[in-house]
Amino acid sequence: METRVKVVEGEIVTLREESREHRATSAAIMVVLSDLRTITDELRTTTNELRTTTNELRVGQEELRVGQAEIREEIGTIKRSVGNLEVSMKRVEGDVAEVKAGHIELRNLVAGLIR
């Protein structure tokens, strides 16, 4: 019987040791889980920030496209205005040439009358 009691006492000691080990393992697991929760929360925050940044970049790109389209339209308007101005300048140059020719002709006529 004494041998049996000693065996049971040995088993109790072993069980207590295993229980302590399980508690230590459980505590370590809880620390790891807490760290994983923290990392998960940080990843969620980073993901949300990246989504926000991505959306802002998309808006910025759209604004840039709109701005570029407006600039192209303005450049087209300016080119048309320059073309119209060139046509007008040619007309004015033609008118000036006619006025000069008329002035020369008039001067010749006046000179002819004076002689």
Side-chain angles (χ1 to χ4, degrees), residues 42-87:
E42 290 172 355
L43 284 172
R44 280 190 187 117
T45 300
T46 302
T47 300
N48 289 334
E49 289 171 354
L50 287 172
R51 283 185 183 133
T52 300
T53 302
T54 300
N55 289 336
E56 289 172 357
L57 287 173
R58 285 184 184 137
V59 169
Q61 286 175 338
E62 185 58 31
E63 289 174 355
L64 183 62
R65 280 189 212 114
V66 169
Q68 288 174 339
E70 289 173 355
I71 289 171
R72 281 190 206 104
E73 187 177 318
E74 288 179 16
I75 289 172
T77 300
I78 290 170
K79 285 181 178 180
R80 285 189 298 277
S81 294
V82 166
N84 292 339
L85 182 60
E86 288 173 345
V87 169

Side-chain angles (χ1 to χ4, degrees), residues 14-30:
T14 301
L15 287 173
R16 284 185 180 151
E17 183 61 34
E18 287 176 358
S19 177
R20 276 190 227 115
E21 289 174 5
H22 288 307
R23 273 183 265 175
T25 301
S26 293
I29 289 171
M30 294 307 285

Side-chain angles (χ1 to χ4, degrees), residues 23-36:
R23 273 183 265 175
T25 301
S26 293
I29 289 171
M30 294 307 285
V31 169
V32 169
L33 286 175
S34 176
D35 289 347
L36 285 173

